[in-house]
Amino acid sequence: MKDKLVVIVGTNASGKSSLGVELAARFNGEIVSADSRQVYERLDLGSGKITREEMKGVPHHLLDVRKPGEFFSMADFQELAYEAIDGIIARGHVPFLVGGTGLYVDAVADGYVLSNMAPDAELREKLEKYSTPELYEMLKEQDPDTDIEPKNRHRVMRMLEKLAAGDTEPVGKQPRYEILKLGVPWDRETLKNRIDERLDKRLEQGMTQETETLLKEGISEEFMLKLGLEYKYLTRYLKGELAFDQMKEELGNAIKK
């Protein structure tokens, strides 16, 4: 019999973090964060990282496990998540996986069997210059029967790298846990309002200054742009590419997609 894992998913500003805390507190649980940006130290406001006060004493894992600019892959996340979840279960507590980044959630919940092949930095640099649709067309030319989601840029690029290296073994799944998945739904209009309110609040709290400080301390623009959403648009604003109001409008629209 597999161990049990509760998974809580939802869009930006859906309230999944607070729901995770409420349920974990009620059922003697601990939380594993499944967010590709919250693994980094000091990326707090821009990533929507939960605060100590908001945790309400519930243990959280996989926050602040890398320094900004360091490489961190889905395989790295999966390995650390398995370790954290198994530790929670060994303590007799209930593990809650809360996210976040859909691919990270799926890697653990579905038990992706991941290749140990290291990324090809030179090839990755070349691929980064193409749009996601262009990359997907390249993949379809090499693997017409691919079942990778066309909009999943990370997986499309990773498969192109694997094909270039001659690694054609399909990604399998070996689920480790029995999953209870909970979603946090909102009607579209309410969610839009929640996103706008949260964006205003985080800008007032200093999200722009957080981004500026990271850039001034030597975190590369390339890294910040690759983080997407808040850090991407704030970096473009700080570089003078966007006016503040334009940045805020485009960022809000991007979050709502």
Side-chain angles (χ1 to χ4, degrees):
M1 182 181 293
K2 292 187 177 76
D3 291 316
K4 294 176 173 60
L5 171 66
V6 181
V7 177
I8 300 177
V9 296
T11 60
N12 284 293
S14 63
K16 55 188 176 291
S17 295
S18 58
L19 176 61
V21 168
E22 181 182 342
L23 293 178
R26 186 181 303 181
F27 295 104
N28 192 30
E30 300 183 31
I31 290 173
V32 177
S33 169
D35 190 291
S36 62
R37 302 186 301 173
Q38 293 180 9
V39 299
Y40 291 104
E41 297 174 356
R42 298 167 55 223
L43 269 64
D44 300 327
L45 289 169
S47 71
K49 192 180 296 176
I50 191 169
T51 65
R52 287 289 174 190
E53 183 179 6
E54 291 167 339
M55 290 179 188
K56 297 180 180 178
V58 173
H60 280 63
H61 305 269
L62 268 63
L63 298 174
D64 303 327
V65 296
R66 287 290 188 276
K67 296 186 182 302
E70 290 183 350
F71 178 75
F72 190 82
S73 69
M74 180 172 64
D76 292 327
F77 171 78
Q78 186 192 57
E79 180 181 357
L80 292 178
Y82 282 158
E83 182 180 321
I85 292 166
D86 292 345
I88 293 168
I89 293 169
R91 287 189 288 277
H93 296 174
V94 179
F96 287 79
L97 182 69
V98 181
T101 302
L103 197 59
Y104 281 20
V105 172
D106 293 344
V108 173
D110 293 340
Y112 287 172
V113 179
L114 301 175
S115 169
N116 291 324
M117 185 189 73
D120 183 331
E122 186 175 344
L123 177 58
R124 175 60 64 95
E125 186 177 352
K126 292 178 181 177
L127 294 177
E128 286 285 5
K129 297 175 182 177
Y130 294 93
S131 68
T132 302
E134 288 172 332
L135 291 170
Y136 185 71
E137 285 304 312
M138 292 165 61
L139 176 58
K140 287 288 286 184
E141 288 177 8
Q142 298 182 51
D143 183 9
D145 298 323
T146 183
D147 61 355
I148 291 178
E149 165 61 41
K151 294 181 180 180
N152 192 326
R153 183 179 180 85
H154 177 88
R155 288 199 66 199
V156 170
M157 291 180 68
R158 193 69 175 135
M159 183 54 69
L160 285 169
E161 290 175 346
K162 289 178 68 176
L163 290 170
D167 181 358
T168 57
E169 288 297 315
V171 175
K173 296 179 181 180
Q174 294 180 1
R176 291 193 180 194
Y177 311 106
E178 182 180 338
I179 303 296
L180 171 64
K181 183 174 281 191
L182 305 175
V184 186
W186 293 93
D187 66 84
R188 187 66 179 162
E189 201 57 39
T190 300
L191 185 60
K192 285 182 179 180
N193 291 335
R194 287 175 63 88
I195 289 171
D196 288 338
E197 289 172 5
R198 190 178 77 156
L199 179 55
D200 285 338
K201 180 180 179 181
R202 288 158 71 189
L203 286 168
E204 290 171 4
Q205 290 174 325
M207 186 164 62
T208 305
Q209 290 75 17
E210 176 181 274
T211 306
E212 185 175 26
T213 298
L214 290 164
L215 289 167
K216 284 183 176 179
E217 291 182 0
I219 305 304
S220 72
E221 290 179 1
E222 179 185 15
F223 174 78
M224 298 297 285
L225 291 169
K226 284 182 179 179
L227 290 170
L229 292 179
E230 290 86 353
Y231 292 113
K232 173 182 177 181
Y233 284 92
L234 284 166
T235 297
R236 293 184 62 199
Y237 161 66
L238 292 167
K239 289 175 62 181
E241 295 179 1
L242 297 172
F244 183 82
D245 289 343
Q246 181 186 6
M247 176 275 296
K248 184 178 175 183
E249 180 180 2
E250 291 189 11
L251 172 55
N253 289 336
I255 295 173
K256 292 168 189 171
K257 286 183 179 178

